[in-house]
Amino acid sequence: MNDFFRLAPPLSDRDSWTAADWCPMERALDLIGTRSAMTLLREVFYGAARFDDLARRAGVTPAVASQRLRQLVDSGLLERRPYQVPGQRTRYEYAVTERGLEVFPIIAALTRLGDRLPRESEKMVALSHAGCGERVVTEVRCAAGHAVTPADTVVSILQPAPDAQEG
Amino acid sequence: MNDFFRLAPPLSDRDSWTAADWCPMERALDLIGTRSAMTLLREVFYGAARFDDLARRAGVTPAVASQRLRQLVDSGLLERRPYQVPGQRTRYEYAVTERGLEVFPIIAALTRLGDRLPRESEKMVALSHAGCGERVVTEVRCAAGHAVTPADTVVSILQPAPDAQEG
DNA sequence: CTGTATCCCAGCGGATACTG
DNA sequence: CAGTATCCGCTGGGATACAG
């Protein structure tokens, strides 16, 4: 934390702060709040790269895949890279960007939730650590490394101090 | 892992396995895949409990809050508890269940993503560890405690062995 | 305060058909 | 293979009004 920000009045005083300008979760949902965005990103993390594979595996039509992938590229979560196999025409692949890596914990956490939900079929998809085979889980911690539960968190509205000096 | 399951053919052979029966993430999205579900759950984790507060803070209309909260209660992520302040009429509060705790990492991961996205306003909402004030982050690990990156994961389709004997 | 019911609209996403 | 365009149905969700 730098001292450019200071605490605003406690949260209980506010009404809705749903505005994407303030709430980080709202901004995240603006980018990946649709089902097609989530499933397409899942498939990218699971190894798919080409348009056709992505659409088919994510279970969306080409039209939906086209529009959604464009948005994901525009928002900087994915990038569309040309690559050339010698003797073949140029192809494109969709790959996760540095920023897009932040989506992985979300995928993992959703998968974990679903993993613990009752299911009809006994057949199931599992996400495991390649190194040891154990199931993938997510942990919530703070930047200092302490384990954090919902009760351990504080939500605050930060705003620029009126007299703040940049740099 | 028990030996009731065995590995199915590799993922590259499959088409879409979007079915909620198989894919845990799809099951998760069936429960919390709407924006109102996510924002309402966020507000529950942030401390709101009463219907009115939840609807207002989440920025949804009472009609939406009513329908969505019912679904969240039905799915076992929230519970609706009566509580009585002596001398007042019975009120109800919405609280996270044991199962609902699995949603917290998703909220935290979404918040983390949004936190690193460019924003218009300098004012912002932050989620911090009450103990030390550091920002909340999510880590992806395996059940054995190893740090896991997207490249470190394997996705497999598990299915009951035909000759499996229960218990 | 804690919801429900009704009307309405925008957006997501499926189906189909068509280009480079 | 890698998309784009069009049509269209469904649902999520806002606005408003009403009930216990």
Side-chain angles (χ1 to χ4, degrees), chain A residues 11-28:
Chain A
L11 217 54
S12 52
D13 291 347
R14 71 181 166 73
D15 314 357
S16 166
W17 41 276
T18 307
D21 279 2
W22 295 19
C23 177
M25 205 185 86
E26 297 287 335
R27 278 199 300 281

Side-chain angles (χ1 to χ4, degrees), chain A residues 97-119:
Chain A
T97 62
E98 174 94 16
R99 175 184 295 173
L101 286 175
E102 298 284 345
V103 177
F104 187 58
I106 302 168
I107 303 279
L110 281 167
T111 300
R112 173 67 173 174
L113 170 63
D115 205 32
R116 314 197 100 193
L117 254 31
R119 54 178 159 271

Side-chain angles (χ1 to χ4, degrees), chain B residues 11-141:
Chain B
L11 217 55
S12 52
D13 291 347
R14 70 181 166 74
D15 310 0
S16 166
W17 39 277
T18 308
D21 280 2
W22 295 20
C23 177
M25 205 185 87
E26 296 288 335
R27 278 199 301 281
L29 289 176
D30 282 342
L31 299 192
I32 61 171
T34 64
R35 197 166 184 124
S36 55
M38 290 302 305
T39 53
L40 284 167
L41 284 166
R42 178 192 65 201
E43 294 304 327
V44 174
F45 280 114
Y46 286 4
R50 297 208 315 278
F51 181 87
D52 196 48
D53 286 337
L54 285 168
R56 184 169 42 84
R57 291 190 182 183
V60 298
T61 63
V64 170
S66 173
Q67 180 189 354
R68 203 59 60 199
L69 286 171
R70 176 191 304 279
Q71 289 175 1
L72 290 173
V73 169
D74 288 347
S75 64
L77 296 179
L78 295 181
E79 60 182 359
R80 186 166 171 272
R81 292 192 302 221
Y83 73 101
Q84 188 119 28
V85 179
Q88 305 221 341
R89 66 182 174 86
T90 302
R91 295 188 180 282
Y92 291 92
E93 63 177 6
Y94 292 89
V96 178
T97 62
E98 173 95 16
R99 176 184 294 174
L101 285 176
E102 297 284 345
V103 176
F104 187 59
I106 301 168
I107 303 279
L110 282 166
T111 301
R112 173 67 174 173
L113 170 63
D115 206 31
R116 314 197 102 194
L117 255 31
R119 55 177 158 271
E120 305 286 316
S121 169
E122 282 174 332
K123 190 184 287 192
M124 55 185 291
V125 173
L127 186 61
S128 309
H129 181 206
C132 69
E134 289 288 341
R135 205 63 66 86
V136 169
V137 299
T138 53
E139 295 178 1
V140 181
R141 298 189 172 275

